[in-house]
Coordinates of all heavy atoms in Angstrom, one line a residue:
Chain A
T202 N -15.1 4.5 -12.7 CA -14.5 5.4 -11.8 C -14.4 4.9 -10.4 O -13.4 4.9 -9.8 CB -15.2 6.8 -11.9 OG1 -15.3 7.2 -13.2 CG2 -14.5 7.8 -11.0
V203 N -15.5 4.4 -9.9 CA -15.6 3.8 -8.5 C -14.9 2.5 -8.4 O -14.1 2.3 -7.5 CB -17.1 3.8 -8.1 CG1 -17.2 3.1 -6.7 CG2 -17.7 5.1 -8.1
D204 N -15.2 1.6 -9.3 CA -14.7 0.3 -9.3 C -13.1 0.3 -9.3 O -12.5 -0.3 -8.5 CB -15.2 -0.3 -10.7 CG -15.1 -1.8 -10.7 OD1 -15.2 -2.4 -9.6 OD2 -15.0 -2.3 -11.8
A205 N -12.6 1.0 -10.2 CA -11.1 1.1 -10.4 C -10.4 1.8 -9.2 O -9.4 1.3 -8.7 CB -10.8 1.8 -11.7
A206 N -11.1 2.8 -8.7 CA -10.5 3.6 -7.6 C -10.4 2.6 -6.4 O -9.5 2.6 -5.6 CB -11.3 4.8 -7.2
A207 N -11.5 1.9 -6.1 CA -11.6 1.0 -5.0 C -10.5 -0.1 -5.1 O -9.9 -0.4 -4.1 CB -13.0 0.4 -4.8
L208 N -10.4 -0.7 -6.3 CA -9.5 -1.8 -6.5 C -8.0 -1.3 -6.3 O -7.2 -1.9 -5.6 CB -9.6 -2.5 -7.8 CG -10.7 -3.4 -8.0 CD1 -11.0 -3.7 -9.5 CD2 -10.5 -4.8 -7.3
C209 N -7.7 -0.1 -6.9 CA -6.4 0.4 -6.8 C -6.1 0.7 -5.3 O -5.0 0.4 -4.8 CB -6.2 1.6 -7.6 SG -6.2 1.2 -9.4
L210 N -7.0 1.3 -4.6 CA -6.8 1.6 -3.2 C -6.6 0.4 -2.3 O -5.6 0.3 -1.5 CB -8.0 2.4 -2.7 CG -7.9 3.0 -1.3 CD1 -9.0 4.1 -1.1 CD2 -8.1 2.1 -0.1
K211 N -7.4 -0.7 -2.5 CA -7.2 -1.9 -1.7 C -5.8 -2.5 -1.9 O -5.2 -3.0 -1.0 CB -8.3 -2.9 -2.1 CG -8.1 -4.2 -1.3 CD -8.6 -4.1 0.2 CE -8.5 -5.3 0.9 NZ -9.7 -5.7 1.7
A212 N -5.3 -2.4 -3.2 CA -3.9 -2.9 -3.5 C -2.8 -1.9 -3.1 O -1.7 -2.1 -3.5 CB -3.8 -3.3 -4.9
G213 N -3.2 -0.8 -2.4 CA -2.2 0.1 -1.9 C -1.7 1.2 -2.9 O -0.6 1.8 -2.7
N214 N -2.4 1.4 -4.0 CA -1.9 2.3 -5.1 C -2.7 3.6 -5.1 O -3.9 3.7 -4.7 CB -2.2 1.6 -6.4 CG -1.4 0.3 -6.6 OD1 -0.1 0.4 -6.7 ND2 -2.1 -0.8 -6.6
A215 N -2.0 4.6 -5.5 CA -2.6 5.9 -5.9 C -3.2 5.7 -7.4 O -2.6 4.9 -8.1 CB -1.7 7.1 -5.8
V216 N -4.2 6.4 -7.8 CA -4.7 6.2 -9.1 C -5.2 7.5 -9.7 O -5.6 8.4 -9.1 CB -6.0 5.2 -9.0 CG1 -7.1 5.8 -8.3 CG2 -6.4 4.8 -10.5
I217 N -4.8 7.6 -11.0 CA -5.3 8.7 -11.8 C -6.3 8.2 -12.9 O -6.0 7.3 -13.6 CB -4.2 9.4 -12.5 CG1 -3.2 10.0 -11.5 CG2 -4.6 10.5 -13.5 CD1 -1.9 10.6 -12.1
L218 N -7.5 8.7 -12.8 CA -8.6 8.1 -13.6 C -9.0 9.1 -14.7 O -9.4 10.2 -14.4 CB -9.8 7.8 -12.7 CG -9.6 6.9 -11.6 CD1 -10.5 7.2 -10.4 CD2 -9.9 5.4 -12.1
K219 N -8.9 8.6 -15.9 CA -9.3 9.5 -17.1 C -10.5 8.8 -17.8 O -10.3 7.8 -18.5 CB -8.1 9.6 -18.0 CG -8.3 10.0 -19.4 CD -8.5 11.5 -19.6 CE -8.9 11.8 -21.0 NZ -10.1 11.2 -21.5
G220 N -11.7 9.3 -17.6 CA -12.8 8.7 -18.2 C -13.2 9.5 -19.5 O -12.5 10.5 -19.8
G221 N -14.2 9.1 -20.1 CA -14.7 9.7 -21.4 C -15.3 11.1 -21.0 O -15.8 11.3 -20.0
K222 N -15.2 12.0 -22.1 CA -15.7 13.3 -21.8 C -17.2 13.3 -21.7 O -17.8 14.2 -21.0 CB -15.2 14.2 -22.9 CG -15.7 14.0 -24.3 CD -15.2 15.1 -25.3 CE -15.8 14.9 -26.7 NZ -15.6 13.5 -27.3
E223 N -17.9 12.3 -22.2 CA -19.4 12.2 -22.2 C -19.8 12.1 -20.7 O -20.9 12.4 -20.3 CB -19.9 11.0 -22.9 CG -19.5 10.9 -24.3 CD -18.1 10.4 -24.5 OE1 -17.5 9.9 -23.5 OE2 -17.5 10.6 -25.6
A224 N -18.9 11.6 -19.8 CA -19.3 11.3 -18.4 C -18.6 12.2 -17.5 O -18.5 12.0 -16.3 CB -19.0 9.8 -18.1
I225 N -18.1 13.4 -18.0 CA -17.2 14.2 -17.1 C -17.9 14.7 -15.9 O -17.3 14.7 -14.8 CB -16.6 15.3 -18.0 CG1 -15.6 16.2 -17.2 CG2 -17.7 16.3 -18.6 CD1 -14.4 15.4 -16.7
N226 N -19.2 15.1 -15.9 CA -19.8 15.6 -14.7 C -20.0 14.5 -13.7 O -19.8 14.7 -12.5 CB -21.1 16.3 -15.1 CG -20.9 17.5 -15.9 OD1 -20.4 18.5 -15.4 ND2 -21.3 17.5 -17.2
S227 N -20.4 13.3 -14.2 CA -20.6 12.2 -13.3 C -19.3 11.9 -12.6 O -19.2 11.6 -11.4 CB -21.1 11.0 -14.1 OG -22.2 11.4 -14.9
N228 N -18.2 11.8 -13.4 CA -16.9 11.3 -12.9 C -16.3 12.4 -11.9 O -15.8 11.9 -10.9 CB -15.9 11.1 -14.1 CG -16.3 9.9 -14.9 OD1 -16.9 9.0 -14.4 ND2 -15.8 9.8 -16.1
K229 N -16.4 13.6 -12.2 CA -15.9 14.6 -11.3 C -16.7 14.5 -9.9 O -16.1 14.6 -8.9 CB -16.2 16.1 -11.9 CG -15.0 16.5 -12.8 CD -15.4 17.7 -13.7 CE -15.5 18.9 -12.9 NZ -15.6 20.1 -13.9
C230 N -18.0 14.3 -10.0 CA -18.8 14.2 -8.8 C -18.4 13.0 -8.0 O -18.1 13.0 -6.8 CB -20.2 14.2 -9.2 SG -21.4 13.9 -7.9
L231 N -18.3 11.8 -8.7 CA -17.9 10.6 -8.0 C -16.5 10.7 -7.4 O -16.2 10.3 -6.3 CB -17.9 9.4 -9.0 CG -19.3 9.0 -9.5 CD1 -19.2 8.0 -10.7 CD2 -20.1 8.4 -8.4
G232 N -15.6 11.3 -8.2 CA -14.2 11.5 -7.7 C -14.2 12.4 -6.4 O -13.5 12.1 -5.4

Side-chain angles (χ1 to χ4, degrees):
Chain A
T202 306
V203 173
D204 198 31
L208 281 164
C209 289
L210 190 158
K211 180 77 182 226
N214 298 290
V216 66
I217 297 176
L218 298 151
K219 160 80 183 64
K222 64 177 185 305
E223 305 78 14
I225 183 65
N226 292 295
S227 313
N228 288 337
K229 276 164 71 171
C230 176
L231 293 168

